[in-house]
Amino acid sequence: MPRSVSDRRTHEPGGRTINSPQTVSPRRQYSKVDIDALAQRYRTWGRWGPDDEAGSLNLITPEKVAAAAALVRTGRAFSLAIPLDRNGPMPARTARVNPQHVMFKHGGDLLADWENAQHGMQSTDDGVYMPLQCATQWDAFCHVFYDGQTYNGHGPEAVTSQGAAHNSIAQVADRVVGRGVLLDFPRFYGVDWLEPEDAIQDVDVEACARAQGVEIGEGDLVLVRTGHMRRRREEGEEHWGDYAAGPAPGLGVSSVDYLLPRGVAAVASDTWGLESVPSESLPEVKFALHVVLLVNAGVLIGEIWDLEELAADCAADGVYEFFLTAQPLTVTGAVGTPLNPIAIK
Amino acid sequence: MPRSVSDRRTHEPGGRTINSPQTVSPRRQYSKVDIDALAQRYRTWGRWGPDDEAGSLNLITPEKVAAAAALVRTGRAFSLAIPLDRNGPMPARTARVNPQHVMFKHGGDLLADWENAQHGMQSTDDGVYMPLQCATQWDAFCHVFYDGQTYNGHGPEAVTSQGAAHNSIAQVADRVVGRGVLLDFPRFYGVDWLEPEDAIQDVDVEACARAQGVEIGEGDLVLVRTGHMRRRREEGEEHWGDYAAGPAPGLGVSSVDYLLPRGVAAVASDTWGLESVPSESLPEVKFALHVVLLVNAGVLIGEIWDLEELAADCAADGVYEFFLTAQPLTVTGAVGTPLNPIAIK
Amino acid sequence: MPRSVSDRRTHEPGGRTINSPQTVSPRRQYSKVDIDALAQRYRTWGRWGPDDEAGSLNLITPEKVAAAAALVRTGRAFSLAIPLDRNGPMPARTARVNPQHVMFKHGGDLLADWENAQHGMQSTDDGVYMPLQCATQWDAFCHVFYDGQTYNGHGPEAVTSQGAAHNSIAQVADRVVGRGVLLDFPRFYGVDWLEPEDAIQDVDVEACARAQGVEIGEGDLVLVRTGHMRRRREEGEEHWGDYAAGPAPGLGVSSVDYLLPRGVAAVASDTWGLESVPSESLPEVKFALHVVLLVNAGVLIGEIWDLEELAADCAADGVYEFFLTAQPLTVTGAVGTPLNPIAIK
Amino acid sequence: MPRSVSDRRTHEPGGRTINSPQTVSPRRQYSKVDIDALAQRYRTWGRWGPDDEAGSLNLITPEKVAAAAALVRTGRAFSLAIPLDRNGPMPARTARVNPQHVMFKHGGDLLADWENAQHGMQSTDDGVYMPLQCATQWDAFCHVFYDGQTYNGHGPEAVTSQGAAHNSIAQVADRVVGRGVLLDFPRFYGVDWLEPEDAIQDVDVEACARAQGVEIGEGDLVLVRTGHMRRRREEGEEHWGDYAAGPAPGLGVSSVDYLLPRGVAAVASDTWGLESVPSESLPEVKFALHVVLLVNAGVLIGEIWDLEELAADCAADGVYEFFLTAQPLTVTGAVGTPLNPIAIK
């Protein structure tokens, strides 16, 4: 029997909630054949032409953008990005180090030449070395290949040292603004956070959306809060712990059966991998949702988004939809980029 | 007599326009005393409290954001960022190299292990080394010191190797969305582009805004098109030439007398320095507008913005205002960041 | 057989006891006044002129170099550098990440264009982002300031964002070849490695040198083996553990009373900080030996040197002296650099 | 007195004429078939076993190293590296930017906290982003593939994003010390520098070596001075000009017929590509010497070496042989590295 939210409730001293139907459904298990079938079912290759590199973002029509802008009522804006600095979640010893912000010139340089620098104008300057997926980010479609192909059927030669010739995140530089919808699962379940390995199923998505009074529709940018980022923040000094690559709560495979028929354009979460880790499709398919969403459906995946402040606001006013402006950086050929998504209510 | 647009018109073979009153007004000349007086006049230090780090962005109230969102009618979105890659405008031999996009893993790696990699899921990954002001960017207030101080009176010790303790661009991560207004000077004057050293004066701003049917108001994010980027693109193979640090058209000092009393929150342009280069305040003050806007008024400066596509659209529909979402990256302590501004009409 | 020094010690709470002759002498404790006196005693400022930036490396005269070369008998060469890669000792979340080696073009790129690339010539290319003191390294004199000064009396304005105007490691690009001497303390004491906090005293240095049959003389480059690197390698999977910044065995403060009167030019070790950590001079002076050696005596400090293979060879043939070629990289203005020291016997 | 070779030549359009004996012999022309034959003739694959990654460096036996050390007589040392900084020869807009030295902490930081920092110990720190072949460097064997193979028959899958699994420069970390021999062609010909496209032929090498009184033998590290670096330094402000990728003097293809039968282990020069550029084998083989030396003979190629000071010394004392310590950095999997070669006489 899968380990799930309910397992932990009964012996939680703090007793966050009475065990009730509203817990994450049990994990399921998928073979490669299962995932292949899902991939085929939701494949959109060719739907917007053989040269398309925007995938389901095509569903965000100008009309959808205009309608999303009309959701702005109070004008409150929320940044959903974590800081880009050395205190980020990345561990040592992989290519994904935390952002290395370096100063090219700073106030200390003025002080070192104060006789002159105290008069007139002086400037400061800086730079950064950073992996493009080390913090709040979009995965480009070409971030993932399945059976040797990425979105719209491109093979591995589409991504070389020159970057991605197809499906780079830079190709959708002006395509990722629209209606955002937040699904706040911990609040829905009355807990502080979901547990690692919790896998949010289709019925869970449906129930949460209903309870929070939002309908998910075509072109939506769906934000999935698990509380996992909050948990890692609250637990201990070296708070990130295994956040960057460890077990995590997240979407289960069946969630796509709810999301994709409704035409979502992107899904983002407060974990490092969006989907429940370990994946329900292990060992045969490492990250099933990446395969279905990025490679086949052409749906962007957002990771390491900080949804805490926004979620608190949504809980306060009961409004779980908003205008979301989540444009990537224009790094030519990039297979992902950091970004600073802004939700406006 | 200053060299100005009109100088060149009389002998332009293409004869873009009849010489007429609508050319950029003559350059003026300012001493340090003049600039000091302007700095004092427009200084907002303390206006939003001694700890304020948002400056005139405080004028973008939630109400302003909501009103700006209401400008979205058709939902067409325009990215105003140039590509972040090695073909950017930066020259060799300064700290500001072009962005160095590096692949950590790519399709070629799959091919090198094709027996395995053709089955199941594979991923790609990448990173970047880049100066934060090498492309489309915001200058943070702390990018500039004048007489030893940056916005709100902080001294040089406010910006160290740890980054900016005050006035970092990251402090306004959620503050730079609002009403955008485009002033398209080349179109106003009927030319392809302004000339280096052209200095747009207060009366020029007023005339252009009037002609293009926009009023500039409190909290506005003003985009100043000079055509200089287009020119460098159209001229020659190594098209950027001296774009990154050479003479350029731009705002003249008197422009602030029009813009600041109206409460603008940010000004951005399609040149590397916003203001006319060389500055009208040389040699005593290197970049007078930087001193007045960043240090004293607390008004953000945007540089190297690509306004071509947006400008063409504005010319087509005659609408020069829009919703502008121009959030910076959240690089902790950064004195500037690249961004991908999106204008939505 | 004891595996470490501590095995043979009495573990009384009061601490370091009198041990058998073959153990490190007890730690001592120094105040800032003590260290100031030592600093003054061994200060060489001005000895080689007010503009000198080579310090005690001046003692490596051409004659000394020639004499050192004459030590080469069999021609066996030993690299004393650890690999420069992501598996290095540096932890996450400080500026000193491990070296980030990035490929600009590789064999996979050939495979992605195999039709063409299989014929004729193709090339690969790569780069690195790395802290200059993340692996086997030299500290430049200007790496440390004491009471506001670095070697030869330069103040803080000598090292700015432009790098070090004085005392950069690049200034001694051709000065660090000469006679190397290894002091292998673990072998001297019959243990595998010294323990963290072990502080090698003057008498210990003397005894070890005598036992190993080497005399330390003017211009020598002295290598101090503690076994700490070997220990971290042998212990556990994530073997580096706290190697980069944790407690470590190393030279005690009194060691300078043996080394400096003899005119050593550089001292290097297999730990991250050369001296015993925590320093015997805590809390008033963080790293006393750095203060005495770098700032005052003008003696280079080498850290994270891999002495294992060389030490085994010295133990085998009983010869603890050799030609050592330990030139730094020529990074202009650098306050340290990685290097690949070669010992030749 | 002629300032360059060409001054003494007849400038007939048909090209390189018979010159006086003291000029470089005429360029020759090679087809791919020619180069293939040379490659086969000098191929050493398998000679030192199927797993060998040191190639002709195997010829530097310990005995050779010892004999080379015995060449040290006066102990004078010469660094042959150019500075690693932003003023290097690399242009903008390729992956090979100049080294980007960045300070992590410097004296200005002390000044920003002077109240505290003036007392006790403080440290500075720095880092670098740099292409590994942007300055004085070794090409690893795996830097070049010919007809899909690198040294000892490895295919493209030997070099991936993980670096080179075979033939990395790090594999020869302790192998590149030995006898160095300088061939100073400009001095031999009585000119300041050779001209771009000058191709030094086998007979030229022989004549120069004879005139300078050195015999080239097994395991030698041969330094070829063309004067091209000096020329770019002396000509103009932005002195590097096209140094990094433009036409250059250098070895002609036939030079290998002199060098390889004698068993040289490495060849380095003061140009960016060692061989005459354009190659004598264009267009069919871009860089013929790279193919013959790196891929087939397993002979290291050194580029951008600064031979000026050493050459002046050799001219002064008439001694063109010396001990050369030219160890690469230990960047795991690197296809080249910067280094600081030291010649000791």
Side-chain angles (χ1 to χ4, degrees):
Chain A
M1 178 177 163
R3 176 170 166 276
S4 75
V5 169
S6 56
D7 294 339
R8 109 194 83 105
R9 298 262 172 70
T10 50
H11 53 79
E12 257 191 346
R16 291 220 185 73
T17 182
I18 281 71
N19 251 333
S20 66
Q22 58 273 55
T23 63
V24 174
S25 302
R27 285 172 65 87
R28 304 173 193 175
Q29 188 65 31
Y30 298 82
S31 68
K32 185 171 192 305
V33 170
D34 298 332
I35 301 303
D36 286 351
L38 269 179
Q40 285 296 333
R41 185 181 316 152
Y42 293 117
R43 181 171 287 184
T44 60
W45 300 4
R47 180 166 160 192
W48 296 284
D51 297 332
D52 177 64
E53 303 190 14
S56 295
L57 295 169
N58 284 293
L59 299 173
I60 310 180
T61 59
E63 294 72 27
K64 292 283 184 191
V65 174
L71 296 174
V72 175
R73 273 163 287 189
T74 63
R76 293 195 312 283
F78 302 87
S79 165
L80 311 182
I82 67 167
L84 287 162
D85 61 32
R86 296 191 173 99
N87 297 313
M90 296 297 140
R93 303 194 179 87
T94 78
R96 287 201 189 158
V97 293
N98 288 305
Q100 303 295 312
H101 179 219
V102 290
M103 295 302 299
F104 297 158
K105 190 180 176 194
H106 62 65
D109 293 288
L110 275 58
L111 291 168
D113 185 33
W114 192 236
E115 196 66 32
N116 295 306
Q118 67 184 294
H119 305 295
M121 179 190 147
Q122 301 290 334
S123 63
T124 62
D125 204 5
D126 51 1
V128 73
Y129 172 83
M130 65 175 167
L132 291 170
Q133 300 187 25
C134 64
T136 306
Q137 60 166 301
W138 281 127
D139 287 351
F141 301 152
C142 65
H143 173 50
V144 171
F145 283 80
Y146 188 64
D147 287 354
Q149 291 182 301
T150 182
Y151 175 72
N152 233 354
H154 295 286
E157 66 288 341
V159 187
T160 68
S161 287
Q162 302 302 305
H166 296 287
N167 294 338
S168 164
I169 196 70
Q171 294 300 108
V172 295
D174 58 358
R175 305 295 286 266
V176 203
V177 291
R179 180 180 184 245
V181 169
L182 175 72
L183 299 176
D184 187 343
F185 288 95
R187 278 195 175 80
F188 172 52
Y189 292 124
V191 296
D192 285 347
W193 42 67
L194 303 191
E195 292 291 319
E197 303 194 24
D198 279 353
I200 299 162
Q201 304 298 339
D202 50 355
V203 293
D204 303 327
V205 176
E206 181 172 25
C208 179
R210 194 185 319 114
Q212 296 179 349
V214 282
E215 275 188 44
I216 291 171
E218 206 163 86
D220 280 357
L221 310 164
V222 178
L223 309 186
V224 176
R225 181 171 177 266
T226 70
H228 193 56
M229 183 181 286
R230 175 181 164 196
R231 179 181 197 165
R232 285 291 177 267
R233 268 198 198 121
E234 293 191 1
E235 293 183 353
E237 188 182 343
E238 185 74 62
H239 73 262
W240 289 108
D242 69 351
Y243 179 88
L251 290 182
V253 171
S254 73
S255 66
V256 301
D257 290 326
Y258 186 86
L259 296 170
L260 293 182
R262 281 164 177 77
V264 303
V267 189
S269 188
D270 57 354
T271 66
W272 73 278
L274 175 66
E275 53 190 293
S276 177
V277 177
S279 172
E280 291 174 311
S281 53
L282 275 179
E284 291 184 299
V285 180
K286 281 178 285 185
F287 293 97
L289 285 188
H290 280 65
V291 168
V292 176
L293 295 178
L294 291 176
V295 176
N296 287 282
V299 168
L300 285 188
I301 289 180
E303 293 159 347
I304 318 184
W305 290 39
D306 187 344
L307 305 173
E308 293 310 297
E309 198 187 355
L310 173 65
D313 187 87
C314 293
D317 71 2
V319 178
Y320 284 83
E321 62 178 357
F322 36 83
F323 188 50
L324 180 63
T325 168
Q327 65 273 34
L329 283 185
T330 55
V331 183
T332 305
V335 306
T337 67
L339 77 157
N340 176 12
I342 304 286
I344 311 173
K345 294 181 69 175
Chain B
M1 178 178 164
R3 177 170 164 276
S4 75
V5 170
S6 57
D7 293 340
R8 114 192 78 103
R9 297 263 171 70
T10 50
H11 52 80
E12 259 193 342
R16 292 223 182 70
T17 182
I18 281 71
N19 250 333
S20 66
Q22 59 273 56
T23 63
V24 174
S25 301
R27 283 172 67 87
R28 303 174 194 175
Q29 188 65 31
Y30 298 83
S31 69
K32 184 170 192 306
V33 171
D34 298 332
I35 301 302
D36 286 352
L38 269 179
Q40 285 296 333
R41 186 182 315 153
Y42 294 118
R43 182 171 288 185
T44 61
W45 300 4
R47 180 166 160 191
W48 296 283
D51 298 331
D52 176 64
E53 304 189 15
S56 295
L57 295 170
N58 284 293
L59 299 173
I60 311 180
T61 58
E63 294 72 30
K64 292 284 186 190
V65 174
L71 295 174
V72 175
R73 273 162 286 189
T74 62
R76 291 195 313 282
F78 303 88
S79 165
L80 311 181
I82 67 167
L84 287 162
D85 61 32
R86 295 192 173 97
N87 296 314
M90 297 297 140
R93 302 193 181 87
T94 78
R96 287 201 189 159
V97 293
N98 288 304
Q100 303 294 311
H101 179 219
V102 290
M103 295 301 299
F104 297 157
K105 189 180 176 193
H106 62 63
D109 292 288
L110 275 58
L111 291 169
D113 185 33
W114 193 236
E115 194 67 31
N116 294 307
Q118 67 184 294
H119 304 296
M121 180 191 145
Q122 301 291 334
S123 64
T124 62
D125 204 5
D126 51 2
V128 74
Y129 172 82
M130 66 176 165
L132 291 170
Q133 300 187 27
C134 64
T136 306
Q137 62 167 297
W138 282 126
D139 286 351
F141 300 152
C142 65
H143 173 51
V144 171
F145 283 80
Y146 188 64
D147 287 354
Q149 291 182 299
T150 182
Y151 175 72
N152 233 353
H154 295 286
E157 66 287 341
V159 187
T160 68
S161 288
Q162 302 302 307
H166 295 286
N167 294 337
S168 164
I169 196 70
Q171 293 300 108
V172 294
D174 58 359
R175 305 293 288 264
V176 204
V177 291
R179 179 179 183 245
V181 169
L182 175 72
L183 299 176
D184 187 342
F185 288 94
R187 278 195 175 79
F188 171 53
Y189 291 125
V191 297
D192 284 347
W193 42 68
L194 302 191
E195 293 291 320
E197 302 194 24
D198 279 354
I200 299 161
Q201 304 298 339
D202 50 356
V203 292
D204 303 327
V205 176
E206 180 173 24
C208 179
R210 192 185 320 114
Q212 296 180 348
V214 281
E215 273 188 47
I216 292 171
E218 206 164 86
D220 280 357
L221 310 164
V222 178
L223 310 186
V224 175
R225 181 172 178 266
T226 70
H228 194 56
M229 183 181 286
R230 174 182 165 196
R231 180 182 197 164
R232 285 291 177 267
R233 269 198 195 122
E234 294 191 1
E235 294 183 354
E237 188 183 343
E238 185 76 60
H239 74 262
W240 290 108
D242 69 352
Y243 179 87
L251 290 183
V253 171
S254 72
S255 66
V256 301
D257 290 326
Y258 186 86
L259 296 170
L260 293 181
R262 281 165 177 78
V264 303
V267 189
S269 188
D270 58 353
T271 66
W272 73 278
L274 175 67
E275 54 190 294
S276 177
V277 177
S279 172
E280 291 174 311
S281 53
L282 276 179
E284 292 183 298
V285 180
K286 280 178 286 183
F287 293 98
L289 286 187
H290 281 65
V291 168
V292 177
L293 296 178
L294 291 176
V295 176
N296 287 282
V299 168
L300 285 188
I301 289 180
E303 293 158 347
I304 318 183
W305 289 39
D306 187 345
L307 306 174
E308 294 310 298
E309 197 187 354
L310 172 65
D313 187 87
C314 293
D317 70 3
V319 178
Y320 284 83
E321 62 178 356
F322 37 82
F323 188 50
L324 180 63
T325 168
Q327 66 271 35
L329 283 185
T330 54
V331 183
T332 306
V335 306
T337 66
L339 77 158
N340 176 14
I342 304 285
I344 311 173
K345 295 182 70 175
Chain C
M1 179 180 165
R3 191 164 170 80
S4 74
V5 170
S6 57
D7 293 341
R8 282 177 286 128
R9 289 183 185 158
T10 51
H11 292 283
E12 56 188 3
R16 307 320 189 88
T17 66
I18 313 307
N19 297 305
S20 60
Q22 60 275 50
T23 63
V24 175
S25 301
R27 285 173 65 87
R28 303 174 194 174
Q29 187 65 31
Y30 298 82
S31 69
K32 184 171 191 304
V33 171
D34 298 331
I35 301 302
D36 286 352
L38 269 178
Q40 284 296 332
R41 185 182 316 153
Y42 293 118
R43 182 170 287 184
T44 61
W45 300 5
R47 180 165 160 192
W48 297 282
D51 298 331
D52 176 64
E53 305 189 14
S56 295
L57 295 169
N58 285 293
L59 299 173
I60 311 179
T61 59
E63 294 71 29
K64 292 284 185 190
V65 174
L71 295 174
V72 175
R73 274 163 285 189
T74 62
R76 291 195 312 283
F78 302 88
S79 165
L80 310 182
I82 66 167
L84 287 162
D85 62 31
R86 295 192 173 99
N87 297 314
M90 296 298 140
R93 301 194 182 87
T94 79
R96 288 201 189 158
V97 293
N98 288 304
Q100 303 294 312
H101 179 219
V102 289
M103 295 301 300
F104 297 158
K105 190 181 176 192
H106 62 64
D109 292 288
L110 275 58
L111 291 169
D113 185 33
W114 193 237
E115 194 67 31
N116 295 306
Q118 66 184 294
H119 305 297
M121 179 190 146
Q122 301 291 335
S123 63
T124 61
D125 204 5
D126 51 3
V128 74
Y129 172 83
M130 65 175 165
L132 291 170
Q133 300 187 27
C134 64
T136 306
Q137 62 166 298
W138 281 128
D139 287 351
F141 302 152
C142 65
H143 173 51
V144 171
F145 283 80
Y146 187 65
D147 287 354
Q149 291 182 301
T150 181
Y151 175 72
N152 233 352
H154 296 285
E157 65 289 339
V159 187
T160 67
S161 288
Q162 302 301 306
H166 296 287
N167 294 338
S168 164
I169 196 71
Q171 293 301 107
V172 295
D174 58 359
R175 306 294 288 266
V176 203
V177 292
R179 179 179 183 246
V181 169
L182 175 71
L183 299 176
D184 187 342
F185 288 95
R187 278 195 175 79
F188 172 53
Y189 291 124
V191 297
D192 285 346
W193 42 67
L194 303 192
E195 293 292 319
E197 303 193 26
D198 277 353
I200 298 161
Q201 304 298 338
D202 50 357
V203 292
D204 302 327
V205 174
E206 181 173 24
C208 180
R210 192 186 321 115
Q212 296 180 348
V214 282
E215 273 187 47
I216 291 170
E218 207 164 84
D220 280 357
L221 311 164
V222 178
L223 310 186
V224 176
R225 180 171 178 267
T226 69
H228 194 56
M229 183 181 287
R230 174 182 164 197
R231 179 182 198 164
R232 285 291 177 267
R233 269 197 195 122
E234 293 191 2
E235 293 183 353
E237 188 182 343
E238 185 75 60
H239 73 262
W240 289 108
D242 69 351
Y243 178 88
L251 291 182
V253 171
S254 73
S255 65
V256 301
D257 290 327
Y258 186 87
L259 297 170
L260 293 181
R262 282 163 176 78
V264 302
V267 189
S269 188
D270 58 353
T271 65
W272 73 277
L274 175 67
E275 53 190 293
S276 177
V277 177
S279 173
E280 292 174 311
S281 53
L282 275 179
E284 290 184 299
V285 180
K286 280 177 287 183
F287 293 98
L289 286 188
H290 281 64
V291 168
V292 177
L293 295 178
L294 292 176
V295 176
N296 288 281
V299 168
L300 285 187
I301 289 180
E303 293 159 346
I304 318 183
W305 290 39
D306 187 346
L307 305 174
E308 294 310 298
E309 198 187 355
L310 173 65
D313 187 86
C314 293
D317 70 2
V319 179
Y320 284 83
E321 61 178 357
F322 36 83
F323 188 49
L324 181 62
T325 169
Q327 66 271 33
L329 283 185
T330 55
V331 183
T332 306
V335 306
T337 67
L339 78 157
N340 176 14
I342 304 287
I344 311 174
K345 296 182 69 176
Chain D
M1 179 180 163
R3 191 164 168 78
S4 74
V5 170
S6 57
D7 293 342
R8 282 177 285 128
R9 289 182 184 160
T10 52
H11 293 283
E12 58 187 4
R16 309 318 191 87
T17 65
I18 312 308
N19 297 305
S20 61
Q22 62 275 50
T23 63
V24 175
S25 302
R27 284 171 66 86
R28 303 174 194 175
Q29 187 65 32
Y30 298 82
S31 68
K32 185 171 191 305
V33 171
D34 297 333
I35 301 302
D36 286 351
L38 270 178
Q40 284 296 334
R41 185 182 315 153
Y42 293 116
R43 181 170 289 184
T44 61
W45 300 5
R47 181 166 160 192
W48 296 284
D51 297 331
D52 177 65
E53 304 190 14
S56 295
L57 295 169
N58 285 292
L59 299 173
I60 311 179
T61 58
E63 295 72 28
K64 292 284 185 191
V65 174
L71 296 173
V72 175
R73 273 162 286 190
T74 63
R76 292 195 311 284
F78 302 88
S79 165
L80 311 182
I82 66 167
L84 287 162
D85 62 31
R86 295 192 173 99
N87 296 314
M90 297 297 139
R93 304 196 178 85
T94 78
R96 288 202 188 158
V97 293
N98 288 304
Q100 303 295 311
H101 179 219
V102 290
M103 296 301 299
F104 297 158
K105 190 180 176 194
H106 62 65
D109 293 288
L110 275 57
L111 291 168
D113 184 33
W114 193 236
E115 194 66 32
N116 295 305
Q118 67 184 294
H119 305 297
M121 179 189 146
Q122 301 291 334
S123 63
T124 61
D125 204 6
D126 51 1
V128 73
Y129 172 84
M130 66 175 166
L132 291 170
Q133 300 188 25
C134 64
T136 305
Q137 61 165 299
W138 282 126
D139 287 351
F141 301 153
C142 65
H143 173 50
V144 170
F145 283 81
Y146 188 64
D147 287 354
Q149 290 182 300
T150 182
Y151 175 72
N152 232 354
H154 295 286
E157 66 288 340
V159 187
T160 68
S161 288
Q162 302 302 306
H166 296 287
N167 294 337
S168 164
I169 196 71
Q171 293 300 108
V172 295
D174 58 359
R175 306 293 288 265
V176 203
V177 292
R179 180 180 184 244
V181 169
L182 176 71
L183 298 176
D184 187 342
F185 288 95
R187 278 195 175 79
F188 172 53
Y189 292 124
V191 297
D192 284 347
W193 42 67
L194 303 191
E195 292 292 319
E197 303 194 23
D198 278 353
I200 299 161
Q201 303 298 340
D202 50 356
V203 292
D204 303 327
V205 176
E206 181 173 24
C208 180
R210 193 186 318 116
Q212 296 180 348
V214 282
E215 274 189 46
I216 292 170
E218 208 163 86
D220 280 357
L221 309 164
V222 178
L223 309 186
V224 175
R225 180 171 178 266
T226 69
H228 193 57
M229 184 181 286
R230 174 181 165 196
R231 179 182 198 165
R232 286 290 177 268
R233 268 197 197 122
E234 293 191 3
E235 294 182 353
E237 188 183 343
E238 184 75 63
H239 74 262
W240 288 109
D242 69 351
Y243 178 87
L251 290 182
V253 172
S254 73
S255 65
V256 301
D257 290 326
Y258 186 86
L259 296 170
L260 293 181
R262 281 163 177 77
V264 302
V267 189
S269 188
D270 58 353
T271 65
W272 73 278
L274 176 66
E275 54 191 292
S276 177
V277 177
S279 172
E280 292 174 312
S281 53
L282 274 180
E284 291 184 298
V285 181
K286 281 178 286 184
F287 293 98
L289 286 188
H290 280 65
V291 168
V292 177
L293 295 178
L294 292 176
V295 177
N296 287 282
V299 169
L300 284 188
I301 289 180
E303 293 159 346
I304 318 183
W305 289 39
D306 187 345
L307 306 173
E308 293 311 297
E309 197 188 355
L310 172 65
D313 188 87
C314 293
D317 70 3
V319 179
Y320 283 83
E321 62 179 356
F322 36 83
F323 189 50
L324 181 62
T325 169
Q327 65 272 34
L329 283 185
T330 55
V331 183
T332 306
V335 306
T337 67
L339 77 157
N340 176 13
I342 303 286
I344 311 174
K345 294 181 70 176

